[in-house]
Amino acid sequence: MSDRLRLWLERGGGGGYRLRDAATGAPVRWEDPRLRVVAVAGVTFRPESLPDTSFDPGSRLALVPEPGNEHDPNAVGIWNEERTLQAGYVPRDAAAELTGDEQAVSLWRVEGGLRVLIVPADAWVGRPRS
């Protein structure tokens, strides 16, 4: 049996996604230790980016380390998949624990913000069905 994390994104109320275990169909809580769900930090500095459709729930995102960041050498930017727009940053406490090869998916829009799923590089995340 593999320990590889396998998740389905399931539409939830309010236009975001809940998580389900792909093998069992059981709900997976955002507090599950195998993953991280973070509120994007610094979105107020980029108000033009967040409404872009490339950050819609279910969208793949890019995590971009910024080792030269003068405020935090562990800073990790959250960008759209094409890396043309930045929504903000992984919160400082979570960024310090990342290994640099994780993948990210937009999960939920909240007023003035965004919740993002961060999982290991080998995790499988089922894309939402239209």
Side-chain angles (χ1 to χ4, degrees):
M1 185 85 85
S2 172
D3 288 337
R4 180 180 179 203
L5 183 60
R6 295 173 36 91
L7 300 169
W8 280 111
L9 298 182
E10 175 184 71
R11 290 194 190 279
Y17 289 93
R18 294 186 181 102
L19 306 173
R20 289 217 173 254
D21 184 287
T24 66
V28 176
R29 296 184 55 93
W30 287 7
E31 299 82 16
D32 188 299
R34 301 172 297 168
L35 54 90
R36 288 189 176 278
V37 175
V38 300
V40 178
V43 295
T44 57
F45 297 105
R46 294 169 187 81
E48 72 287 348
S49 295
L50 199 57
D52 191 86
T53 59
S54 62
F55 293 109
D56 282 353
S59 299
R60 302 284 176 172
L61 303 174
L63 298 175
V64 181
E66 294 183 9
N69 185 301
E70 65 183 70
H71 302 289
D72 180 6
N74 294 317
V76 177
I78 298 177
W79 291 72
N80 62 359
E81 188 173 31
E82 297 78 23
R83 296 185 183 198
T84 58
L85 288 173
Q86 183 178 9
Y89 288 90
V90 174
R92 185 182 296 254
D93 60 329
E97 297 176 5
L98 298 181
T99 62
D101 63 348
E102 290 85 358
Q103 54 180 312
V105 177
S106 175
L107 273 188
W108 212 278
R109 284 189 190 272
V110 293
E111 189 172 328
L114 185 66
R115 299 294 183 269
V116 172
L117 169 68
I118 300 175
V119 293
D122 69 344
W124 180 84
V125 179
R127 291 191 149 201
R129 297 182 190 133
S130 300

